[in-house]
Amino acid sequence: MFKRLATAAVTAVLIAGLGACGGGGDSYDEGSDYSVDVGQDGGSGAGKPGPDTATTADTSVFGLRDEVRHRAVRTTRATRPRMTKKCTTTTRRVRHTTSTGSGTKRRTRTWYSTEHGKTCKKVRSGTETYTRVVRPEQWCVRLDDVGGDKSRDDVWYQVTSTTYHTAVATDQHQRLDFTPKDTGC
């Protein structure tokens, strides 16, 4: 019983210690470069720079819409080994015994039965043709003045289909904000 109480006490101390070190009350204010304390001590953390770069990293970009481009999927015919499933049946003889009685009156009865089974494995059986994707479908948007920097023009970003269609509906040289999938196109 003492061991159980000691274990519970140590666990409670560890939980309290980890809770104090966690600092889970800070969140990042996207409108500024500061963290805002939303929890524990009534706002004493407001106005301090946020030290955690993981929470301040914002992957969205903005700029003026320049061009849009849709690149269709590119495929080719290719061949690969054709794998088929080959099964073989197996049988094995199993010995069964039962005993009754004890001492000199002990009798043992033995009989045999056959168990059937199947083992399967994949084996190569010629080749087959299939459609291989050489380049996946891409939707791209080109921006000028990326991030408000007048010198960063003609930067291509790969975007989702939804963002692409939003950019198509937007007039040229209008501001666009989006999160790109990748750079270049």
Side-chain angles (χ1 to χ4, degrees), residues 99-120:
S99 298
T100 57
S102 63
T104 58
K105 304 268 185 184
R106 185 173 187 90
R107 293 183 191 260
T108 302
R109 180 175 165 249
T110 303
W111 73 96
Y112 295 90
S113 67
T114 304
E115 287 186 356
H116 299 280
K118 182 167 44 167
T119 57
C120 297

Side-chain angles (χ1 to χ4, degrees), residues 15-37:
I15 290 172
L18 291 174
C21 295
D26 286 341
S27 67
Y28 183 70
D29 181 14
E30 292 182 16
S32 68
D33 292 327
Y34 298 101
S35 65
V36 179
D37 188 29

